[in-house]
Amino acid sequence: MDDLETRELRYFVAVAEELHFGRAAERLGIAQPPLSRAIGKVEHRLGVELLTRNRRGVTLTAAGQVLLDEARTALAAITAATRRTRRAADPQRPLILATKAGASHELLLRLLDVVGKDSIEILLCEVSEQAGLLRDGSADVAIMHHPYDDLAGFDTEELQTESQVAILPAKHPLAAREKLTLAEVSNVPDLPIARWPQLDGSYPDGPGPEVHTQSQLAQLVALSKTLLVIPASSRAWQWPEHVAVPVVDAPDVTTLIAWRPSSRSLAVAALVRSAAALRETT
Amino acid sequence: MDDLETRELRYFVAVAEELHFGRAAERLGIAQPPLSRAIGKVEHRLGVELLTRNRRGVTLTAAGQVLLDEARTALAAITAATRRTRRAADPQRPLILATKAGASHELLLRLLDVVGKDSIEILLCEVSEQAGLLRDGSADVAIMHHPYDDLAGFDTEELQTESQVAILPAKHPLAAREKLTLAEVSNVPDLPIARWPQLDGSYPDGPGPEVHTQSQLAQLVALSKTLLVIPASSRAWQWPEHVAVPVVDAPDVTTLIAWRPSSRSLAVAALVRSAAALRETT
DNA sequence: TGCTGTGATACCCCACCGGTATCACAGCGC
DNA sequence: GCGCTGTGATACCGGTGGGGTATCACAGCA
């Protein structure tokens, strides 16, 4: 009836993200007039104003913001449909496991050891990307970390629990300490906590540096610009310029294996079983 | 790039559900040849065989089954996008609360009393429909019941916990009992447990009658065809021909209020707060 | 007062969706 | 063996509409 077409969703997301018809059109590989028309038609069909075109630029209305969120998830579902279908048709497809680089490294090695390296493909991703990769069909299972990652909508199995350490520049006074508390690390004036981009791509206010990848963060710690608190097993973080100090009152971090509840894949179930068995033998 | 169009998703779902091009075309309001072409084109683009056309009928391949699931959720996301956008643009929209008819009736009345009847619209639905209504934007919040309903993907707040009762035909010998156990009610030869349709619309095997609405079930109990075990507060079930007997070892049922985690609506948050406050004063 | 950069409008073309007519083929009754 | 029926696929054709170019309207700004 008045469902939006895939094309219209893509077009709107492009405009809403660029906030500029010309650039959005370029990104989409079409000319600007058809784009204007398409967006106008969507607004007319919905009976809702999505964008306010004032002199010098475009802004989202509240309804437009809602549609941006919804359109993104709808598009993810659509690409997931083709991806999962293609993969379902491939007889010897390996499972794809998404995990943050460097996190729970030993556990991952043990898991690979048990299930065999060939039956799984590892997809290394940046912080908190796993949920999106599971959702859009790029991955079948993911290693995630409570309470860091958003587990909403996934089935999970706990694998291990561990304490957290502060990663500090080796030269910093706090690096010599035997142990630290959250209070001590949360307000170090010369090592402000780094700021990650929010869902809309903007950064929260604060004194810390802006980062969007793990390696940036590692670099910034080495440069004595920031500190961070992470699970003890995140070995990839340990540069020579880093020192890890236990944070005694930081909440424990649970490593979990997560998958989509609607997945009926036997291979996923077997992998989860293997991972859970791994936990019990340790 | 090679995302499926909304139209193609709808077409495929229709064919996959009907397993018959002619009927599917009729349901879609188009002629059969364009439908055949469209499906063929999708198969070609994906490089995957979705349907096997053998003499006398069509069947889904494994990949086709995957696409059917994925396409359904993608379509739900698409319709949700327009619905939520329209609702976001409506300044005095009431919240829509989905709930099974008759379940947690008193609690619902108290909630309406607190927040005001005009700020909420009640959407009565059949068993386990709430999740779908939340997902496709038909409802903003839902009253759900653990462990009956699938809470995956939603944020929830517990509201109350209660024991369960067996609903029996008044004339049945077991109806005279003070209390019952799960073992006693689970294998009564003349009152077999009713069978609900599964996700694919088919019914599981078993001796019990097939049902797909609550009222059918209530009727069947009154006719001495089946029995059921439900939360004690489900008052709407209490026909004159019914008797409720406590089932002492049945697991407690928790009534929850559920909403989509991505909802940033202040009204939803306020409603949840009101509901939680209701719990504490009781 | 131009100049620049923005999105909207005017107009044209052709790709593609959907329609009708027809085919290919398998079951089935005789 | 013959039609007859019911299935999905193919052939062809016309109209809608998406995309293109050219241009406008208008606001900032030197």
Side-chain angles (χ1 to χ4, degrees):
Chain A
M1 40 172 155
D2 47 20
D3 280 341
L4 294 175
E5 288 294 323
T6 305
R7 183 177 41 82
E8 296 175 316
L9 292 169
R10 264 206 313 273
Y11 286 8
F12 178 75
V13 169
V15 175
E17 284 180 353
E18 300 284 348
L19 292 177
H20 189 292
F21 279 77
R23 280 196 300 276
E26 191 180 0
R27 185 173 122 187
L28 293 165
I30 64 171
Q32 169 260 318
L35 181 57
S36 285
R37 250 186 309 154
I39 300 294
K41 189 181 277 187
V42 168
E43 286 183 306
H44 183 75
R45 250 210 337 288
L46 294 182
V48 169
E49 188 172 290
L50 300 168
L51 303 160
T52 54
R53 293 88 153 157
N54 30 23
R55 47 205 150 277
R56 233 101 198 121
V58 175
T59 49
L60 279 173
T61 64
Q65 181 62 53
V66 169
L67 183 56
L68 176 57
D69 291 354
E70 298 293 332
R72 281 204 187 105
T73 69
L75 284 172
I78 291 167
T79 60
T82 82
R83 233 193 293 259
R84 295 216 180 89
T85 304
R86 284 220 181 91
R87 285 176 48 67
D90 177 6
Q92 69 257 4
R93 69 205 123 120
L95 282 185
I96 297 182
L97 181 144
T99 181
K100 291 188 279 271
S104 305
H105 187 61
E106 279 89 358
L107 185 122
L108 194 54
L109 285 179
R110 293 204 329 265
L111 184 59
L112 282 182
D113 215 38
V114 171
V115 300
K117 287 197 194 333
D118 297 334
S119 62
I120 299 189
E121 200 167 296
I122 303 292
L123 176 58
L124 292 176
C125 61
E126 283 297 331
V127 170
S128 71
E129 271 185 350
Q130 294 105 312
L133 294 173
L134 277 186
R135 261 186 266 277
D136 79 359
S138 303
D140 302 296
V141 289
I143 301 293
M144 300 177 84
H145 294 85
H146 175 80
Y148 284 107
D149 294 317
D150 175 24
L151 304 173
F154 301 119
D155 281 357
T156 58
E157 186 81 32
E158 296 191 4
L159 297 183
Q160 66 180 23
T161 297
E162 57 189 318
S163 55
Q164 299 197 65
V165 297
I167 303 290
L168 300 159
K171 295 181 283 195
H172 195 273
L174 285 179
R177 296 279 294 276
E178 278 291 310
K179 57 189 183 185
L180 290 164
T181 65
L182 273 183
E184 287 173 310
V185 298
S186 59
N187 271 310
V188 184
D190 56 339
L191 297 178
I193 305 291
R195 291 171 293 138
W196 290 88
Q198 295 160 314
L199 282 176
D200 60 0
S202 73
Y203 288 86
D205 288 336
E210 298 180 350
V211 295
H212 65 270
T213 71
Q214 292 182 50
S215 27
Q216 284 183 339
L217 196 45
Q219 179 73 66
L220 285 167
V221 174
L223 294 172
S224 294
K225 296 291 188 191
T226 188
L227 64 74
L228 61 150
V229 177
I230 56 171
S233 73
S234 301
R235 292 279 296 280
W237 289 99
Q238 296 272 5
W239 290 20
E241 297 88 345
H242 293 168
V243 167
V245 179
V247 180
V248 290
D249 59 346
D252 279 356
V253 171
T254 306
T255 303
L256 314 97
I257 188 164
W259 66 98
R260 300 195 323 137
S262 56
S263 155
R264 303 199 207 120
S265 153
L266 293 177
V268 168
L271 175 61
V272 169
R273 256 200 314 281
S274 300
L278 208 62
R279 170 193 60 201
E280 274 137 31
T281 60
T282 327
Chain B
M1 42 171 149
D2 48 21
D3 281 339
L4 295 175
E5 288 293 323
T6 305
R7 182 178 42 83
E8 296 175 317
L9 292 169
R10 265 205 314 272
Y11 286 8
F12 177 75
V13 169
V15 175
E17 285 179 353
E18 300 284 348
L19 292 177
H20 189 290
F21 279 77
R23 281 196 300 275
E26 191 180 3
R27 184 172 124 187
L28 292 165
I30 64 171
Q32 170 260 319
L35 181 57
S36 286
R37 249 185 311 151
I39 300 293
K41 189 181 279 186
V42 168
E43 285 181 308
H44 183 75
R45 257 217 321 296
L46 294 182
V48 169
E49 187 172 291
L50 300 168
L51 303 161
T52 54
R53 294 89 153 156
N54 31 20
R55 45 205 154 276
R56 235 92 197 133
V58 175
T59 50
L60 278 173
T61 64
Q65 182 61 53
V66 168
L67 183 56
L68 176 57
D69 290 354
E70 298 293 332
R72 281 203 186 108
T73 70
L75 284 172
I78 291 167
T79 59
T82 82
R83 232 193 294 259
R84 293 215 181 89
T85 305
R86 285 219 180 91
R87 286 176 47 69
D90 178 6
Q92 68 258 3
R93 70 205 124 119
L95 283 184
I96 297 182
L97 182 146
T99 182
K100 290 188 278 271
S104 305
H105 187 62
E106 280 89 357
L107 185 124
L108 195 55
L109 285 180
R110 295 207 321 268
L111 184 58
L112 282 182
D113 215 38
V114 172
V115 300
K117 287 197 193 336
D118 298 333
S119 62
I120 299 187
E121 201 167 296
I122 303 292
L123 176 57
L124 292 176
C125 61
E126 283 298 331
V127 170
S128 70
E129 270 185 349
Q130 293 106 313
L133 294 173
L134 276 187
R135 261 186 266 276
D136 79 358
S138 302
D140 302 295
V141 289
I143 302 293
M144 301 178 81
H145 296 85
H146 176 79
Y148 284 106
D149 293 316
D150 174 24
L151 304 174
F154 301 119
D155 281 357
T156 58
E157 184 81 32
E158 297 191 4
L159 297 182
Q160 67 179 20
T161 297
E162 57 189 318
S163 55
Q164 299 196 66
V165 296
I167 304 290
L168 302 158
K171 295 181 283 197
H172 195 273
L174 285 179
R177 298 278 294 276
E178 278 291 309
K179 56 189 182 186
L180 290 164
T181 65
L182 273 183
E184 287 175 310
V185 298
S186 59
N187 273 309
V188 184
D190 56 339
L191 297 179
I193 305 290
R195 290 171 294 134
W196 290 88
Q198 294 160 318
L199 281 176
D200 60 0
S202 74
Y203 288 85
D205 288 336
E210 296 179 353
V211 296
H212 64 270
T213 70
Q214 293 183 47
S215 28
Q216 284 182 339
L217 196 46
Q219 179 74 65
L220 285 167
V221 173
L223 293 171
S224 292
K225 296 290 188 191
T226 187
L227 64 75
L228 62 151
V229 178
I230 55 169
S233 73
S234 301
R235 293 281 297 280
W237 289 99
Q238 297 273 6
W239 290 20
E241 296 88 345
H242 293 166
V243 168
V245 179
V247 179
V248 289
D249 59 348
D252 278 357
V253 171
T254 306
T255 303
L256 313 98
I257 187 163
W259 65 98
R260 297 197 323 139
S262 57
S263 155
R264 303 199 207 119
S265 153
L266 294 176
V268 168
L271 176 61
V272 170
R273 255 199 314 280
S274 300
L278 208 63
R279 170 192 61 199
E280 273 135 31
T281 60
T282 327

